[in-house]
Amino acid sequence: MEPGTPSFYEKVYKVVRCIPPGQVSSYGRIATMLGHPNAARAVGYALSALRHPNQDGYTSANVPWQRVVNSQGRISIRHREQAANKQADLLRAEGVTVDENGRIDLATHLWPGLHLIELDDILRNDPQEP
DNA sequence: ATGGTGACTCGCG
DNA sequence: GCGCGAGCCACCA
């Protein structure tokens, strides 16, 4: 594809970078915003991939991956307790209440999301490429 | 091309 | 509220 055409993963990263500190979204909501209502798993996979180096420069350091939880408002990292704890710590550090079971009150912290116009703009040219 | 792999979701019991 | 099964998707070997 053309150099300027973002892959699905890139789109995920760009949208996630729009989530303000103190707020959270879900894998499914991100997927829906990108026009793939059933691609929640792919979104999770995209964030998981942040720990590996990629040619676009997106890393766990420049993408606020911790602000994405599952639709139930719970931290969804399964097989890596260390990462799960880190996510909880990072969220608490920015003012999000996370109980001992890794639950977050979505009614309080859910990110409304982007409007179509904004989304379109973000995906076209992010003024802050990594 | 094909099948395996998840940081997912939703619907049922 | 919890566990299961089934559906869905982008990536990678």
Side-chain angles (χ1 to χ4, degrees):
Chain A
M1 61 177 89
E2 290 180 40
T5 305
S7 66
F8 180 78
Y9 278 23
E10 290 179 279
K11 292 179 186 174
V12 170
Y13 302 145
K14 290 190 175 187
V15 171
V16 171
R17 283 167 55 129
C18 294
I19 307 175
Q23 292 191 275
V24 301
S25 189
S26 74
Y27 303 97
R29 289 176 64 86
I30 300 293
T32 298
M33 283 180 229
L34 293 178
H36 295 258
N38 299 307
R41 303 193 72 177
V43 172
Y45 201 14
L47 296 184
S48 174
L50 280 176
R51 51 200 177 99
H52 305 305
N54 61 75
Q55 74 186 143
D56 297 303
Y58 290 100
T59 70
S60 55
N62 56 36
V63 177
W65 56 277
Q66 73 272 22
R67 296 175 195 149
V68 185
V69 296
N70 67 27
S71 64
Q72 305 310 302
R74 312 184 72 206
I75 287 179
S76 197
I77 301 176
R78 307 237 181 196
H79 310 307
R80 295 190 302 139
E81 190 179 350
Q82 177 180 310
N85 291 327
K86 184 176 183 181
Q87 179 168 18
D89 290 340
L90 288 172
L91 287 174
R92 293 189 179 110
E94 50 187 67
V96 176
T97 300
V98 185
D99 68 21
E100 60 277 358
N101 297 313
R103 269 187 1 206
I104 296 162
D105 181 20
L106 291 183
T108 301
H109 299 100
L110 182 64
W111 177 50
L114 297 168
H115 290 295
L116 282 179
I117 306 294
E118 304 174 307
L119 179 61
D120 191 58
D121 197 46
I122 291 300
L123 296 184
R124 282 185 193 289
N125 42 18
D126 188 336
Q128 247 185 316
E129 291 291 334

